[in-house]
Amino acid sequence: MPEEPSIRRVKDPQALLRHIQELLDRQAVVANLVERSPMQRHELVQSLVARQQSVELGRQIAQLHPADAALVLENLPLDRRLQLWALVEPARRGPVLLEVSDAVREGLIEALGDTEILHAAQDLEADELAYLIPQLPEGLAPELLGAREAEDRAQVQQAMDFPEGTVGSLMRFDVLTAREDTSLDAVLRYLRRRGDLPGDTGVCMVVDRAMQLRGVLPLKALLVNPGATEAGEVMERDPLAFHTDDPLAGAAAAFERYGLISAPVVNAHGRLVGCLNVDEVLEYVKESSQRELLAQAGLPEDEDLYAPVIVSARNRWPWLALNLLIAFIASRVIGQFEGTIEKVVALASLMPIIANVGGNAGNQAMALMIRSLALNQLTEGRFRRLLSKEAMIGLLNGLVWGGVMAAVTWLLYGDAILAGVMLAAMILTLLMAVTTGVLVPYGLKAAGQDPALGSSILITGATDTLGFLIFLGLAALVFGG
Amino acid sequence: MPEEPSIRRVKDPQALLRHIQELLDRQAVVANLVERSPMQRHELVQSLVARQQSVELGRQIAQLHPADAALVLENLPLDRRLQLWALVEPARRGPVLLEVSDAVREGLIEALGDTEILHAAQDLEADELAYLIPQLPEGLAPELLGAREAEDRAQVQQAMDFPEGTVGSLMRFDVLTAREDTSLDAVLRYLRRRGDLPGDTGVCMVVDRAMQLRGVLPLKALLVNPGATEAGEVMERDPLAFHTDDPLAGAAAAFERYGLISAPVVNAHGRLVGCLNVDEVLEYVKESSQRELLAQAGLPEDEDLYAPVIVSARNRWPWLALNLLIAFIASRVIGQFEGTIEKVVALASLMPIIANVGGNAGNQAMALMIRSLALNQLTEGRFRRLLSKEAMIGLLNGLVWGGVMAAVTWLLYGDAILAGVMLAAMILTLLMAVTTGVLVPYGLKAAGQDPALGSSILITGATDTLGFLIFLGLAALVFGG
C-alpha cells in the first residue's frame, strides 16, 4: 500500500522471530554490563550502545506488520515481551493488540497506562474497538466512546451487542454503496475524489433510498463496463446476503462453497448495515479449527506459552478432574468383579483390550458424525440410516476382530471358554461403541451444544465403563465369582 | 455474475437438500407406478408425469451452483445419486466433479461414458483439468490434452507435476499483467475490451519484459487514481510472492496474517507463473482441518456416507488393527504382573485410572505442542523451555491429583501402602505422559511427518503401556508376586 511503504511482509515468521530474538539478546548483554558495572569508565559508551540497540529494535518493530509484531510478542518470555512492547509506537499498539491472543493481550494492556490505552485505541474502527473494549479497564469505555462521533459510537455499541459467533460480531460497518441509477462513471469519480475504498472490500453494494439491499456490484464490473452503464444494469441481483444474527459457521461454509470475497449483511428489517469479508472469515475458520483441536484435549481457548507453571497446570485441572471421575467410575465397575478376577486373573490382562478397541471404534463413528453435522449433511431420515449402517459396521468389525482376539486368547491361555467370552464381549462392545459414537454428538447438537466439544470424553467414558461391564459381566456369568 | 443470472446461492443447504429429496421422492412414486402397472390405462399419463418431474428436477439442478449440486449428490444414496447425475447438463458436469469429494467422484466418473467425460472436461481451466486427470480413465488423458492449445497443454502438465500440498498445486495460471510504464487508463481500456478479468483476482501483477515480478497493483489502485498514473508509481513494491514449491500451509498462514486476497506465484527463476487466490486458500484450510479431525480417529480422507457397509468397515481396519496391537502390548505388560494382581486384586480395579489420566495428560501436552508447531512458534531454545515447563506441570499435577487418588484409595481399601503406590505411580505416569506428549509430535515433525497424524495413537499407546508398567511394577516391588 502506498501509504505504508515500509511495512515488511514475511513468508517465514520463524526467521523473523530468530532475528528479533538476536537483537534482544545483544541488547540484554550490553544492558547487563551497564547495570553490573556502574562505576566503570566504559559506562557511558555502554549505555549509548544499549540506547542505540533500542533504537534499532524500535526501527525493526516499526517495520513489522501488526500481525507479525503480535507473533513476535507472543513468542517472547514475559520480561522481554514487555521490553519490546514498550518500543512499539503508541499509535501502532491498537492494531497489535487486536492481533495477539486473549491470554497475551491481558498482560500487554496491564502494562499500559490509561493515556497510552486511549492513544492506542483512538484510531481503531468501530468493530475493532468493540472487540477490544471488554478487555480494557472498565473506567475507560465512556472516555473512548465519548471521543467518537455519534454514528461511530452507535456502531461500537451495536457491534458489542452482537453475540459471539454471529455474523454481526465479525462484520465491518464501512461499506461502499450506490443507487441503481448511479452510473459507473459517477461511482468511479466518487472513489477518485475519496482516494480510498471503504473497508477494503471487493464490492459496491447497491441500495435504495431506505437502504434496502437491491444488489451487489463487483468492482470488476466497474472496470470492464462502459462508464455510462448504470449500476442497476450490471449488478448481481438477489445476492447472497447474511443477517446480523446468522451463525458464522454457516456463513463461513457459504464463503467456501461459493468462493465469496465479500457479502452484504442486513438487519432484521432488510436494511444494509455492513459487510462480511473473506479475510475475517479465513481467520475465523482457522481459529475455530485450532480451538477445536485444543478443546478436544480439554484445554481452554488459548494458553500463553510463557504463563507461569501454576497457571498452566491449573488450566488443565477441570479436564483432568473430569477424566479422573470417569476413570474412577470405570474402576468401581471393575471393583464389583474383583471376585471373578481373583478366580481368572487373565481377565485383568485382557480387559484393557476391550476398553481400548471400544474407545477407538466409538471415536471413529464420532469423527464421521461430527463431520456430517458440520457439513450440514444430516436430515432425520439420513440420521437413522447412518445409525443402522454404523451398527452393521460395529457388528461386522466385532466379528472380524473379536475373532482374531479370541484366537489369540485361546493361544495364550489355552482356555476356549475365555476365548468365547472375549469374542462375545468384543462384538457387544463394538456395537455399543459405534452407537454411542453416533448418538452422543447428535444429542449434543440437538441440545444446542457444539458436538466437537466434549463428545470425545463422553464417548471414551461410556466405552470404558460399559466395555468393562460387558466383558467382566460376561466373565462373571461364565466363571462365577 | 451477469453471464449466469439463473444460478441460485443458498444460505441453508439443508433446506435445499430436503427440497431435492422431495422432488426425487415424488418422482420415485410416479415412476414406481409406471413400472408396476404397465397394463393400466393410466400408464401414459403416469409416464408423462414422471417425465415432467424429471424435467422439473433437471431445471432445479441447472439452477444450482456446482458446489451445491455436489453437496446434493454427496448426500443421496447411490441409486438416486446416479439418477440425478444423469440429469445434470453435460457441460456443467466438469465443475460439479471438481467439487465432490474423492470418494463420491469415483462413482460419478464411472457412470459416464468416454464422450461424456471429454465433454465434461473440455471447458475446465488448466489447473482444474490437472486436478481431475489422475482420477479419469487412463486412455482419455492424451485426447483431453490434445484438444487444447500448446500453452494450455503445457500448463496442465506443469500443474500435474507440482506435488500435493505445494503452492503450485493450487495456483491459477491466468493472471492479469502490466508493465511498470503502463498507464492505468491503458489497463482499464484493455479490461473493457476484454470484458472480463482473468482469473477473477483482485490484483494486477506488474512485470518486466522477462516476466520478472516487479510489483503488485491492487485493483483498487486502478479505481482511485487518475488514469494518467503509471502502474509503477502506485504499485506495491516488494510484494509477498510465493514460490511454486512453497508449502501451502505456510502460504495459508500468510494469507491469514495479512488478510491477502491474491498473491503472485513465481518459479525458481523468479518468473511470474500464476497467482494464489484466497478462495482456494479458504477451501484448503477448511479441508485440512476436516482431514485432521478424521485422521485423528484414524479414518481415511473421506468416506462416502452411502458406501456399502463392507467398504466402510474395511476403511477402519488399519487403525483398529494398530489399536488392537497396542492394546495387546499393554495387555502383555499386565500379564507379567498377574502374580501380583492375584495377591492384591484391587490393582486390577485401579490400573485403568493410571492409564486414563496418563493418556489424558499426554494428549493435552500434545495438543499444545501441535498448535505451537502449526503456528511456527518453536525454535529449539523454546522447545527445551517448553519441555521443562511441561515436566514441571506434570510433576505438580501428579502431586495434586495423585494425592487426591491416594486419599480415595486409602478410603476405599484402607491400605496405606497401596495408597502410596498410587501416589508414586500417578506422579511418575504424569511426568512420563507430558514428556511423551511433547516429544512425539516434535519427533514426527523432525522426521518430516505431519505431527497431527498419528501422534494421538502413539501417545495413548505409550501412556497405556508405560502407565501399567509403572503402576504394576511399583506394586510388584512393594507387594511381591
Side-chain angles (χ1 to χ4, degrees):
Chain A
M1 311 285 138
E3 65 271 23
E4 290 177 353
S6 62
I7 294 294
R8 272 192 311 168
R9 287 170 174 168
V10 295
K11 260 199 299 194
D12 180 11
Q14 274 286 15
L16 178 71
L17 222 53
R18 272 195 300 271
H19 177 62
I20 300 277
Q21 196 103 38
E22 265 164 40
L23 284 176
L24 277 166
D25 282 343
R26 224 179 299 155
Q27 204 212 5
V29 171
V30 181
N32 244 345
L33 285 178
V34 177
E35 227 170 68
R36 285 201 192 159
S37 49
M39 298 303 143
Q40 303 251 335
R41 61 183 292 238
H42 299 307
E43 186 185 347
L44 188 69
V45 179
Q46 280 167 346
S47 95
L48 269 177
V49 173
R51 213 172 305 150
Q52 228 173 28
Q53 307 240 7
S54 275
V55 171
E56 170 61 14
L57 258 173
R59 210 180 55 77
Q60 295 267 351
I61 292 291
Q63 280 184 7
L64 293 185
H65 189 282
D68 289 328
L71 194 109
V72 169
L73 287 167
E74 282 174 357
N75 284 286
L76 292 174
L78 210 63
D79 50 339
R80 300 213 155 172
R81 187 184 291 164
L82 294 180
Q83 182 191 347
L84 205 64
W85 181 228
L87 294 176
V88 178
E89 288 167 57
R92 291 194 68 234
R93 285 185 185 142
V96 175
L97 279 179
L98 291 173
E99 299 279 351
V100 293
S101 70
D102 287 356
V104 171
R105 188 180 303 123
E106 218 180 293
L108 295 183
I109 290 176
E110 270 170 27
L112 295 180
D114 283 1
T115 334
E116 286 173 308
I117 294 178
L118 292 174
H119 195 166
Q122 70 187 9
D123 291 335
L124 297 180
E125 309 226 343
D127 55 317
E128 297 171 334
L129 183 58
Y131 177 75
L132 218 51
I133 279 187
Q135 273 197 293
L136 297 180
E138 271 191 37
L140 286 183
E143 202 165 338
L144 272 168
L145 289 171
R148 300 196 160 227
E149 286 174 27
E151 192 196 340
D152 206 26
R153 201 156 53 221
Q155 287 179 346
V156 177
Q157 203 57 58
Q158 244 184 302
M160 286 175 66
D161 290 343
F162 294 126
E164 213 181 321
T166 61
V167 167
S169 71
L170 217 63
M171 76 172 184
R172 304 195 55 157
F173 290 97
D174 212 5
V175 193
L176 177 66
T177 57
R179 297 276 163 76
E180 280 181 85
D181 57 3
T182 314
S183 74
L184 301 189
D185 261 343
V187 177
L188 279 172
R189 270 200 311 277
Y190 169 76
L191 287 177
R192 286 194 184 163
R193 213 166 48 234
R194 193 182 148 120
D196 191 22
L197 251 177
D200 235 343
T201 66
V203 294
C204 170
M205 308 296 170
V206 183
V207 291
D208 63 16
R209 263 167 223 289
M211 282 299 273
Q212 298 289 311
L213 184 70
R214 307 287 304 161
V216 155
L217 186 69
L219 286 191
K220 92 171 187 186
L222 278 179
L223 295 170
V224 301
N225 290 300
T229 318
E230 288 184 1
E233 295 174 49
V234 287
M235 73 181 185
E236 188 187 336
R237 277 160 210 286
D238 293 322
L240 189 65
F242 296 98
H243 282 275
T244 47
D245 51 1
D246 278 339
L248 267 173
F255 265 75
E256 193 212 337
R257 279 206 308 287
Y258 304 131
L260 301 177
I261 301 297
S262 182
V265 180
V266 298
N267 66 13
H269 314 293
R271 230 180 111 88
L272 178 75
V273 287
C275 66
L276 185 63
N277 292 339
V278 69
D279 54 339
E280 303 282 355
V281 170
L282 179 61
E283 218 177 305
Y284 164 79
V285 168
K286 191 85 186 230
E287 273 172 15
S288 310
S289 82
Q290 257 155 23
R291 192 165 39 222
E292 223 159 80
L293 182 75
L294 290 179
Q296 275 180 357
L299 287 166
E301 190 160 337
D302 59 359
E303 185 177 307
D304 182 352
L305 272 187
Y306 293 98
V309 168
I310 179 75
V311 172
S312 298
R314 248 191 274 141
N315 268 341
R316 308 185 192 180
W317 284 3
W319 205 246
L320 274 174
L322 187 58
N323 256 284
L324 259 179
L325 184 69
I326 288 177
F328 181 72
I329 296 171
S331 158
R332 289 331 296 151
V333 169
I334 301 173
Q336 305 312 307
F337 297 98
E338 282 180 2
T340 312
I341 294 173
E342 261 179 331
K343 273 194 178 165
V344 188
V345 75
L347 293 173
S349 304
L350 293 172
M351 64 190 195
I353 296 180
I354 300 283
N356 196 320
V357 171
N360 183 237
N363 276 301
Q364 287 186 325
M366 174 198 79
L368 279 176
M369 190 70 194
I370 290 177
R371 190 191 63 148
S372 294
L373 289 171
L375 295 180
N376 255 315
Q377 287 183 336
L378 284 180
T379 56
E380 203 172 314
R382 269 200 306 279
F383 168 69
R384 262 190 230 123
R385 201 176 163 136
L386 186 71
L387 184 59
S388 68
K389 182 180 168 187
E390 284 295 328
M392 300 272 284
I393 293 175
L395 189 65
L396 186 62
N397 281 341
L399 279 165
V400 171
W401 296 102
V404 170
M405 282 322 296
V408 171
T409 304
W410 202 348
L411 282 175
L412 269 176
Y413 294 96
D415 183 337
I417 299 177
L418 188 59
V421 169
M422 191 73 191
L423 175 61
M426 282 280 278
I427 294 173
L428 289 177
T429 300
L430 278 173
L431 261 176
M432 174 274 295
V434 291
T435 315
T436 317
V438 171
L439 288 178
V440 166
Y442 192 75
L444 283 175
K445 172 96 172 190
Q449 303 286 315
D450 180 350
L453 311 185
S455 275
S456 185
I457 197 170
L458 282 173
I459 288 165
T460 310
T463 51
D464 271 14
T465 313
L466 296 176
F468 289 138
L469 187 65
I470 290 170
F471 181 56
L472 297 175
L474 283 174
L477 282 178
V478 173
F479 298 110
Chain B
M1 314 286 138
E3 65 271 26
E4 290 178 352
S6 63
I7 295 294
R8 272 194 312 167
R9 288 169 174 169
V10 294
K11 260 198 300 194
D12 180 10
Q14 273 288 13
L16 178 71
L17 221 54
R18 272 195 300 271
H19 177 63
I20 300 277
Q21 195 103 37
E22 265 164 41
L23 284 176
L24 277 165
D25 282 343
R26 225 180 296 155
Q27 204 212 5
V29 171
V30 181
N32 243 346
L33 285 178
V34 177
E35 224 169 71
R36 287 202 192 155
S37 51
M39 298 304 143
Q40 304 251 335
R41 61 184 292 240
H42 301 306
E43 184 186 348
L44 187 67
V45 178
Q46 281 166 347
S47 92
L48 268 177
V49 172
R51 212 172 305 150
Q52 229 173 27
Q53 308 239 6
S54 275
V55 170
E56 169 62 13
L57 258 173
R59 209 178 56 77
Q60 296 267 350
I61 291 292
Q63 280 185 6
L64 293 185
H65 189 281
D68 288 328
L71 194 107
V72 169
L73 287 168
E74 282 174 357
N75 283 285
L76 292 174
L78 210 65
D79 50 339
R80 300 213 156 172
R81 186 184 292 164
L82 295 180
Q83 181 191 346
L84 204 64
W85 181 229
L87 294 176
V88 177
E89 288 166 56
R92 292 193 68 234
R93 284 185 186 141
V96 176
L97 278 179
L98 291 174
E99 299 279 351
V100 293
S101 70
D102 287 355
V104 170
R105 187 180 303 124
E106 217 180 292
L108 295 183
I109 290 175
E110 270 170 28
L112 297 179
D114 283 0
T115 334
E116 286 173 307
I117 294 178
L118 291 175
H119 195 164
Q122 71 187 9
D123 291 335
L124 297 180
E125 309 228 342
D127 55 320
E128 296 172 333
L129 183 60
Y131 176 75
L132 218 51
I133 279 187
Q135 274 197 292
L136 298 179
E138 270 189 37
L140 285 184
E143 200 163 340
L144 271 168
L145 289 171
R148 302 198 158 225
E149 286 175 26
E151 192 196 340
D152 207 25
R153 200 157 52 223
Q155 288 179 346
V156 177
Q157 204 56 57
Q158 243 184 304
M160 287 176 64
D161 290 343
F162 295 125
E164 214 181 322
T166 61
V167 166
S169 71
L170 217 64
M171 76 171 185
R172 303 194 54 156
F173 290 97
D174 211 5
V175 193
L176 177 65
T177 56
R179 298 274 163 77
E180 280 181 86
D181 57 2
T182 315
S183 73
L184 300 189
D185 261 342
V187 178
L188 279 171
R189 271 200 310 277
Y190 168 78
L191 287 177
R192 288 197 180 158
R193 210 165 51 235
R194 193 180 148 123
D196 191 20
L197 252 176
D200 235 344
T201 67
V203 293
C204 169
M205 308 296 171
V206 182
V207 291
D208 63 16
R209 264 165 224 288
M211 282 299 274
Q212 298 288 310
L213 185 68
R214 308 288 303 162
V216 155
L217 187 69
L219 286 192
K220 91 170 186 185
L222 278 179
L223 294 170
V224 301
N225 290 300
T229 318
E230 287 185 0
E233 295 173 50
V234 287
M235 73 182 186
E236 188 187 334
R237 279 160 210 287
D238 292 322
L240 189 66
F242 295 98
H243 283 275
T244 47
D245 51 1
D246 277 340
L248 266 174
F255 266 75
E256 194 212 337
R257 278 207 309 286
Y258 303 131
L260 301 177
I261 301 297
S262 181
V265 180
V266 298
N267 67 12
H269 314 293
R271 229 180 112 87
L272 178 75
V273 288
C275 67
L276 185 63
N277 292 339
V278 68
D279 55 338
E280 304 281 356
V281 170
L282 180 61
E283 218 177 303
Y284 164 79
V285 168
K286 191 85 187 229
E287 273 172 15
S288 311
S289 82
Q290 258 156 22
R291 191 166 38 222
E292 223 158 80
L293 183 75
L294 290 179
Q296 276 179 358
L299 287 166
E301 192 160 338
D302 61 358
E303 184 176 307
D304 183 352
L305 273 186
Y306 295 97
V309 169
I310 179 75
V311 172
S312 297
R314 248 191 274 141
N315 268 342
R316 308 186 192 180
W317 283 3
W319 204 245
L320 275 174
L322 187 57
N323 255 282
L324 259 179
L325 184 68
I326 288 177
F328 181 73
I329 295 172
S331 158
R332 291 327 299 147
V333 169
I334 302 172
Q336 304 314 306
F337 297 98
E338 282 180 2
T340 311
I341 294 173
E342 260 179 330
K343 273 194 181 166
V344 188
V345 74
L347 293 173
S349 304
L350 293 172
M351 65 191 194
I353 295 180
I354 300 283
N356 196 322
V357 172
N360 182 237
N363 276 299
Q364 287 187 326
M366 173 199 79
L368 278 176
M369 190 68 194
I370 290 177
R371 190 191 64 146
S372 294
L373 289 171
L375 295 179
N376 254 315
Q377 288 183 336
L378 285 180
T379 57
E380 203 172 314
R382 269 199 308 279
F383 168 69
R384 262 191 230 125
R385 203 175 163 135
L386 186 72
L387 184 60
S388 68
K389 182 181 169 186
E390 284 295 329
M392 299 273 284
I393 294 175
L395 189 64
L396 186 61
N397 280 340
L399 279 165
V400 172
W401 297 103
V404 170
M405 282 322 296
V408 171
T409 305
W410 201 349
L411 282 175
L412 269 175
Y413 293 97
D415 184 338
I417 299 177
L418 188 59
V421 169
M422 191 73 191
L423 175 62
M426 282 281 277
I427 293 173
L428 290 177
T429 300
L430 279 172
L431 261 176
M432 172 275 294
V434 290
T435 316
T436 317
V438 171
L439 289 177
V440 166
Y442 192 76
L444 283 175
K445 172 96 173 192
Q449 303 286 314
D450 180 350
L453 312 185
S455 275
S456 185
I457 198 169
L458 282 174
I459 287 165
T460 309
T463 51
D464 271 14
T465 311
L466 296 177
F468 290 137
L469 187 64
I470 289 170
F471 181 55
L472 297 175
L474 282 174
L477 282 179
V478 174
F479 300 111

